[in-house]
Amino acid sequence: MSLLVVGSVALDTVKTPFGEADEVLGGSATYFSTAASYFTDVSLVAVVGEDFPEKHVNFLKSRKVDVSGLQRAKGETFRWKGEYGYDLNEARTLDTRLNVFETFKPSIPESYRKADVVFLANIDPVLQREVLSQVDKPKLVACDTMNFWIGGKRDELIKTLALVDILLINESEARELASEPNLVKAARAIQAMGPGTLIVKRGEYGALMFGRDEVFSAPAYPLESVFDPTGAGDSFAGGFMGYLDNLHSFDGRALRQAIVFGSVMASFNVEDFSLNRMKSLDYKEIEDRYREFKRLTFFDDLGQGV
Amino acid sequence: MSLLVVGSVALDTVKTPFGEADEVLGGSATYFSTAASYFTDVSLVAVVGEDFPEKHVNFLKSRKVDVSGLQRAKGETFRWKGEYGYDLNEARTLDTRLNVFETFKPSIPESYRKADVVFLANIDPVLQREVLSQVDKPKLVACDTMNFWIGGKRDELIKTLALVDILLINESEARELASEPNLVKAARAIQAMGPGTLIVKRGEYGALMFGRDEVFSAPAYPLESVFDPTGAGDSFAGGFMGYLDNLHSFDGRALRQAIVFGSVMASFNVEDFSLNRMKSLDYKEIEDRYREFKRLTFFDDLGQGV
């Protein structure tokens, strides 16, 4: 049980139709490790600037996240500013300041190198491979990516994909990566690039998993109050990978359960700004919502029940 | 077991990135009754013009659809011409000629008036109520509608909704009808208008059912070749209502199964132009795909399996 994540730690300023949050804790590695911390021990690799509030580091420690791989660099912390409209599906980025993240070189502490499960959050695919060159033989490697790399560093991304077991990707980005409008065909094309398993994130429509010989469809939890979608994808990945690392089984049945746990964590995360909802969770709430997902999707077999 | 549908019978000209079909059989009542005919006996009420090919009537008869309520009026049959882009989600209407449909007055034959289950396809909400005034006491009434009536005949539509048990509606139209961007809140608002059950159709993302105290999420079947989405919603409704009429049970478990059968019929329908795929179906294929939906959505309970 050891889960390594490499990604960003950021300070976000977010505006939604329901409110605003200024300079709050954000970043892919933050959301990921907080969500995963409910299932397993997480080691984080990221960089922050001299201005990064110590209270955020203490929060991660309180979630038992190992932060010995969190570098402090000269300069300011990565900042992102975005806005959502009523449909809440896509953020409009108002400002991105990479700051110390611009020159980030992931350095994996000796104690992390035997990690069994590795998550490469959405960073430069060249850096994603540098991480892999620093770890021993992980049993499972997953990565995320985005249109910025698909468009700008396609060849590097394809080299990275050859080395990973699972790719988590947004629906429109899957179509873009494969240059194929049909999602099933796009998935097959991406699997041929390397990842045996593809998980397509569809926001409020849930997620689809394409395995070697199976497809699994998970819904999103229908929420009456979606407050801030920031970090939903990384919270999903955290619940998903955290559960898998804890279970230490990566077959189809495990992956399906893990996707539901990922969906559970994403559904909590969007209920408030920043990490606020995930901060106050307990494991019983997570299990209760897992059961809600079961009720949400259940129907009788043919000739059964009714 | 008697299912009555009132809607349109049309000649469609459809262009998709994969081909074209000219003056082919279409219309909401056609798709609905063909899909439903695999489950129960269907009685159809609609109007066609003098130019309507007899072979199409013979096709409906071959599916055991009772066409004694199919009026032949002076003039031309309702024609629709539309086009789909690569995303196949929304049709661009190029031409609509209502022709004989413009003055359609549904007249329910005496033999249909004792129908237990009634489906009011997407027609003027005033006509939908005229249908209801001509039938005895159906056990279940469902209706469809569209943005044209939501925007143009809102008060009439709301009067109709007070009389129906189930509303089937597209996602964007649900939001528009309730003037509410959040789908869960929109569903509650629409249920307060009358229909105890709301079924929200989400195209390639499946369907959501909102009952009095439950929500059910059904996926769409991930297809490698979606050829023509025309009629998917009506095929869904046909499979859904056909199964319910046959089962004669309308509780939550029955509704969930019926939604999956509706999804099955929609998934077949989009595989070819017009009714071509549904024409060549057999019931075993329908059951096989139902089982595929089960495999597509199954995951273990907590503490079970893995």
Side-chain angles (χ1 to χ4, degrees):
Chain A
M1 297 212 323
S2 55
L3 172 56
L4 166 63
V5 56
V6 182
S8 64
V9 171
L11 294 172
D12 289 347
T13 295
V14 181
K15 196 175 166 182
T16 81
F18 315 109
E20 275 186 67
D22 283 338
E23 299 259 310
V24 293
L25 181 59
S28 58
T30 316
Y31 282 105
F32 179 93
S33 51
T34 304
S37 72
Y38 285 92
F39 302 93
T40 194
D41 296 328
V42 188
S43 304
L44 175 150
V45 172
V47 63
V48 294
E50 297 155 309
D51 60 344
F52 191 69
E54 197 60 27
K55 67 175 179 187
H56 294 329
V57 180
N58 290 334
F59 162 66
L60 289 168
K61 286 180 183 165
S62 79
R63 291 298 320 151
K64 314 267 183 228
V65 175
D66 185 336
V67 292
S68 50
L70 182 66
Q71 310 164 23
R72 259 203 203 262
K74 277 205 170 155
E76 294 199 329
T77 302
F78 175 24
R79 275 169 174 77
W80 177 77
K81 196 170 178 175
E83 190 176 47
Y84 295 86
Y86 271 104
D87 78 349
L88 292 170
N89 272 330
E90 208 150 352
R92 197 162 73 88
T93 291
L94 301 174
D95 194 19
T96 301
R97 298 187 187 186
L98 292 174
N99 297 332
V100 295
F101 198 62
E102 193 154 14
T103 51
F104 176 46
K105 288 277 168 200
S107 165
I108 312 301
E110 189 60 37
S111 61
Y112 289 10
R113 297 191 175 198
K114 294 195 181 310
D116 289 328
V117 176
V118 175
F119 183 66
L120 308 166
N122 172 28
I123 56 173
D124 187 327
V126 176
L127 298 186
Q128 289 179 322
R129 284 207 305 286
E130 279 181 23
V131 171
L132 290 183
S133 71
Q134 294 175 61
V135 292
D136 291 348
K137 286 184 183 164
K139 296 193 175 74
L140 188 77
V141 176
C143 79
D144 192 359
T145 194
M146 71 184 294
N147 49 11
F148 184 74
W149 310 117
I150 296 169
K153 289 212 175 178
R154 189 182 171 79
D155 293 346
E156 296 294 347
L157 177 60
I158 285 172
K159 279 188 216 168
T160 299
L161 292 181
L163 306 175
V164 308
D165 304 298
I166 302 177
L167 172 65
L168 293 99
I169 190 169
N170 287 339
E171 184 170 18
S172 62
E173 289 162 354
R175 292 190 164 104
E176 186 181 345
L177 175 57
S179 308
E180 165 60 53
N182 179 280
L183 192 60
V184 181
K185 287 182 187 165
R188 297 304 168 218
I190 294 169
Q191 287 178 297
M193 298 174 189
T197 300
L198 183 75
I199 295 174
V200 178
K201 298 177 286 180
R202 308 170 110 184
E204 65 171 320
Y205 300 111
L208 270 180
M209 174 186 81
F210 294 90
R212 281 284 175 230
D213 40 35
E214 63 175 329
V215 183
F216 173 58
S217 173
Y221 190 74
L223 283 166
E224 216 159 316
S225 56
V226 178
F227 208 79
D228 174 16
T230 309
D234 296 304
S235 306
F236 175 92
F240 172 72
M241 302 288 286
Y243 179 75
L244 286 177
D245 185 56
N246 177 273
L247 194 69
H248 237 78
S249 162
F250 314 125
D251 65 7
R253 292 175 74 175
L255 289 170
R256 285 169 182 242
Q257 286 195 306
I259 285 172
V260 177
F261 275 112
S263 307
V264 164
M265 299 312 290
S267 75
F268 281 120
N269 180 63
V270 302
E271 289 182 6
D272 203 342
F273 279 119
S274 184
L275 286 290
N276 293 347
R277 184 62 183 97
M278 279 208 286
K279 275 180 186 172
S280 67
L281 268 182
D282 64 49
Y283 196 71
K284 193 186 163 299
E285 289 178 288
I286 294 171
E287 289 196 324
D288 284 348
R289 190 158 287 181
Y290 185 99
R291 290 187 194 97
E292 291 276 350
F293 270 86
K294 194 74 200 179
R295 277 191 286 276
L296 180 65
T297 53
F298 180 79
F299 58 95
D300 287 299
D301 282 325
L302 279 181
Q304 190 202 320
V306 284
Chain B
M1 299 212 322
S2 55
L3 172 58
L4 167 63
V5 55
V6 183
S8 63
V9 171
L11 294 172
D12 289 347
T13 295
V14 181
K15 197 176 168 183
T16 81
F18 315 108
E20 275 186 69
D22 282 338
E23 300 259 310
V24 292
L25 181 59
S28 59
T30 315
Y31 282 105
F32 179 93
S33 51
T34 304
S37 72
Y38 285 91
F39 302 92
T40 193
D41 298 328
V42 187
S43 305
L44 175 151
V45 172
V47 64
V48 293
E50 296 154 309
D51 59 346
F52 191 70
E54 197 60 27
K55 66 175 177 184
H56 294 328
V57 180
N58 290 333
F59 162 66
L60 289 168
K61 285 180 184 166
S62 78
R63 293 298 320 152
K64 315 270 183 226
V65 175
D66 185 336
V67 292
S68 51
L70 181 65
Q71 309 165 23
R72 257 201 204 262
K74 277 205 170 162
E76 295 199 330
T77 302
F78 175 25
R79 274 169 176 77
W80 177 79
K81 197 171 179 175
E83 190 176 47
Y84 296 86
Y86 271 102
D87 79 347
L88 293 169
N89 273 330
E90 207 148 357
R92 196 162 74 86
T93 291
L94 301 174
D95 195 20
T96 301
R97 298 189 186 182
L98 291 174
N99 296 332
V100 296
F101 198 63
E102 191 153 16
T103 52
F104 175 46
K105 288 277 168 202
S107 165
I108 311 302
E110 189 60 37
S111 61
Y112 289 10
R113 298 192 175 198
K114 294 196 182 308
D116 288 327
V117 176
V118 174
F119 183 66
L120 309 166
N122 172 28
I123 56 174
D124 187 326
V126 176
L127 298 186
Q128 289 179 323
R129 284 208 305 287
E130 279 180 22
V131 171
L132 291 183
S133 71
Q134 294 176 60
V135 291
D136 290 349
K137 284 185 187 165
K139 296 193 175 74
L140 187 77
V141 176
C143 79
D144 192 358
T145 192
M146 72 184 294
N147 48 11
F148 184 75
W149 309 118
I150 295 169
K153 290 210 174 178
R154 188 182 171 82
D155 292 347
E156 296 293 347
L157 177 60
I158 285 172
K159 278 188 213 165
T160 298
L161 291 181
L163 306 174
V164 308
D165 304 296
I166 302 177
L167 172 65
L168 293 100
I169 190 168
N170 287 339
E171 183 170 17
S172 62
E173 289 163 356
R175 293 192 163 102
E176 186 181 344
L177 175 57
S179 308
E180 165 60 53
N182 180 281
L183 192 60
V184 181
K185 286 183 186 162
R188 299 302 169 219
I190 294 169
Q191 287 177 298
M193 298 175 189
T197 301
L198 183 75
I199 295 174
V200 178
K201 297 176 287 180
R202 308 170 112 185
E204 63 171 321
Y205 301 110
L208 271 180
M209 174 185 82
F210 294 89
R212 281 283 173 230
D213 40 34
E214 64 175 329
V215 182
F216 172 58
S217 173
Y221 189 74
L223 283 166
E224 214 158 317
S225 55
V226 178
F227 208 79
D228 173 17
T230 310
D234 296 305
S235 305
F236 174 92
F240 172 73
M241 302 288 286
Y243 180 74
L244 286 176
D245 184 57
N246 178 273
L247 194 69
H248 236 77
S249 163
F250 314 126
D251 65 9
R253 293 175 74 175
L255 289 171
R256 285 169 181 241
Q257 287 196 305
I259 285 172
V260 177
F261 276 112
S263 307
V264 164
M265 298 312 289
S267 76
F268 281 120
N269 180 64
V270 301
E271 290 182 6
D272 203 341
F273 279 119
S274 184
L275 285 292
N276 293 346
R277 184 65 183 95
M278 279 209 283
K279 274 180 187 172
S280 67
L281 269 182
D282 64 48
Y283 196 71
K284 193 186 164 299
E285 290 177 287
I286 294 171
E287 290 196 323
D288 284 347
R289 190 157 287 181
Y290 185 99
R291 289 187 194 97
E292 291 277 349
F293 270 85
K294 195 74 201 178
R295 278 190 286 277
L296 179 65
T297 54
F298 180 78
F299 58 95
D300 286 300
D301 283 326
L302 278 181
Q304 190 201 320
V306 284

